[in-house]
Amino acid sequence: MRPRFLLAALAGALLSAAPAAAETRAVLVGVSHFSDPRLAAFALPGAARDVERMAGALATLGVDRAALTMLTGDGATLAAIRAALDRLAAASAAGDRAVIFLSGHGTQAPARTADLIEPDGKDELFLAADAGAWDPRSRTVPGALVDDEIGRRIGELRARGVDVWMVIDSCTGGGLLRGSGTPKAIPPARLGIPAGAPLRGAVDPSGFVDGGLAGGGRLVAFAAAGPGAIAWDDGDGGAFTTALARAIAPDRPASFAALAAGISGSPRRGGTIGAFWTAGDLSAPLLFDGRSPDMVDFARALPPLPFATTLAIDRAGACKADGGNRPRSDGGGDLTLLLHCDHVRVDMAEPPQPLRIEAWYRDAAGGYTSLAPPLGLVVAPGRWANVGFTFVTRDPGTGRELPKGEETLVLIARDTDGKAIGARLLRFRAA
């Protein structure tokens, strides 16, 4: 498996069909209150209801309730979550499916010095029931599950050939924003977390799954809010989980992409679920029940895009301290050689009509990752768009060398009726 992007997306995985005997297991966590009395005001009863809703949604998909580990209330401690994830990994084999669901409060804290996986200088934290105040000696929050650990666990599952669906309904940053309901975040200051020095212009779309970038199993990740953004609970549960469960039943979507589109249009109290965070092989059939389609073959059968694209490459990526700028113009679709940490950006010119653009990255192992939102990138007269990623030759989380081979960025344009009308393939290889 060779994921090539650290900032813009997570990697896809091998496209082999799951065996007939594949089993699905899940760990569902809802942190509804905290044992620390200083955090009593942040009780979130809806998180426990989120676990029940997710369990019901998985039952609709045919998952046996006996295969679910559900942790809520006092049972949702960090030790219990870790033990449940350990059991999940021990019981899972190649071809199996693992679902990890976390609902509760999230926050952010300063990352370790020179942590290249965190271009914004912040770790995302999911707060377990025994979370407490910041410990300045260890520079950690007791009872917090850190994004790096989540990513490592995902990576270990995928390295064994297990397909992983990660769902997170929490904020990844504290803040006071206007909105209906309760923000699912605890401001870092309430935990005594130091602010740290912000990194200007740095963006970290990898969220809670840092480091889970390589492996043989497919990965899809859904989150109610990206890093630093807000998720909401209306008192009866998370708005995102409610929309997710409604989008699954009664009609099972054909793919994760169809599910994501359904969530975007699902009603909730006070509005609709709009932008949320996704990553991974959204083209995969729901719950990985079958093979993912081959986007490269599909794109090859289409005419060229009805607008120009420009490819630019910059060596000053967030995961490399040395090296200067090295802009490069579009090579007309020929194979482009890239170095570790090269940042790749494709700018799209204004089209003659409104279009939605799908952007898929096919790695050397044949896995696909979506680089576009669930409903696609919108391009229209007077409105341009771009897509970017950072090319890596080794997994930033583990340092493991990634397989070599040709990789492809696939751009597919669809009209307002959803018909595919054009495509562009951009091919890359490690220098």
Side-chain angles (χ1 to χ4, degrees):
M1 171 66 198
R2 186 190 191 115
R4 293 300 192 187
F5 20 85
L6 171 61
L7 300 181
L10 299 175
L14 294 178
L15 300 179
S16 57
E23 297 196 23
T24 302
R25 302 174 183 85
V27 172
L28 312 179
V29 179
V31 180
S32 49
H33 60 266
F34 299 99
S35 57
D36 190 330
R38 292 171 295 181
L39 301 180
F42 293 98
L44 202 65
R49 298 187 184 98
D50 287 341
V51 167
E52 287 297 332
R53 285 196 177 96
M54 194 65 186
L58 291 175
T60 300
L61 299 177
V63 180
D64 191 334
R65 198 172 182 91
L68 308 181
T69 298
M70 297 187 287
L71 302 175
T72 60
D74 295 333
T77 64
L78 179 59
I81 295 170
R82 285 173 167 165
L85 294 175
D86 287 342
R87 292 192 298 271
L88 174 68
S92 299
D96 286 345
R97 300 89 177 261
V99 180
I100 303 172
F101 173 80
L102 304 176
S103 177
H105 281 296
T107 192
Q108 291 178 309
R112 301 181 309 277
T113 303
D115 186 346
L116 298 179
I117 302 180
E118 305 289 357
D120 60 354
K122 299 177 182 178
D123 276 321
E124 278 71 49
L125 311 181
F126 179 79
L127 303 178
D130 55 340
W134 171 263
D135 180 357
R137 291 186 178 181
S138 64
R139 294 185 59 80
T140 61
V141 173
L145 193 61
V146 183
D147 52 7
D148 295 337
E149 178 178 350
I150 294 174
R152 175 181 58 79
R153 290 178 176 276
I154 292 174
E156 290 171 352
L157 284 165
R158 297 182 65 205
R160 300 171 61 179
V162 179
D163 294 330
V164 180
W165 184 21
M166 182 85 200
V167 182
I168 302 172
D169 194 344
S170 80
C171 297
T172 57
L176 299 176
L177 299 182
R178 295 183 181 272
S180 61
T182 301
K184 303 181 76 171
I186 296 181
R190 290 296 297 268
L191 295 167
I193 298 173
L199 302 182
R200 291 186 59 190
V203 179
D204 174 28
S206 59
F208 276 106
V209 291
D210 281 344
L213 303 180
R218 290 172 289 186
L219 168 67
V220 171
F222 284 6
I230 298 295
W232 297 96
D233 186 297
D234 64 5
D236 188 44
F240 179 75
T241 300
T242 300
L244 171 63
R246 287 175 177 169
I248 290 175
D251 298 322
R252 171 182 172 139
S255 66
F256 284 103
L259 174 60
I263 296 171
S264 295
S266 295
R268 74 171 175 89
R269 296 175 186 176
T272 60
I273 297 293
F276 57 94
W277 184 87
T278 60
D281 187 5
L282 298 186
S283 67
L286 191 63
L287 217 59
F288 309 104
D289 188 16
R291 295 179 64 90
S292 301
D294 192 321
M295 296 296 176
V296 170
D297 286 347
F298 178 72
R300 282 177 177 150
L302 295 172
L305 290 175
F307 55 84
T309 59
T310 302
L311 172 65
I313 300 170
D314 188 342
R315 285 195 64 187
C319 64
K320 188 170 185 177
D322 61 342
N325 293 339
R326 187 192 56 178
R328 185 184 299 165
S329 298
D330 190 342
D334 295 332
L335 188 67
T336 300
L337 298 180
L338 297 174
L339 302 176
H340 181 68
C341 283
D342 278 355
H343 184 71
V344 179
R345 190 186 74 243
V346 179
D347 294 308
M348 301 172 217
E350 299 175 20
Q353 65 193 66
L355 298 171
R356 290 189 178 272
I357 308 300
E358 295 177 7
W360 300 94
Y361 193 92
R362 186 181 191 274
D363 61 39
Y368 285 91
T369 293
S370 173
L371 303 188
L375 298 180
L377 294 165
V378 176
V379 293
R383 179 173 180 174
W384 55 273
N386 63 50
V387 61
F389 59 90
T390 296
F391 185 89
V392 294
T393 58
R394 58 185 179 273
D395 187 314
T398 64
R400 183 168 56 241
E401 289 293 324
L402 302 173
K404 294 179 171 58
E406 183 177 316
E407 307 193 342
T408 308
L409 175 62
V410 184
L411 302 176
I412 299 172
R414 296 184 182 273
D415 61 19
T416 54
D417 294 325
K419 180 183 177 181
I421 63 169
R424 171 89 193 274
L425 299 177
L426 295 95
R427 300 158 50 228
F428 306 100
R429 184 187 293 273

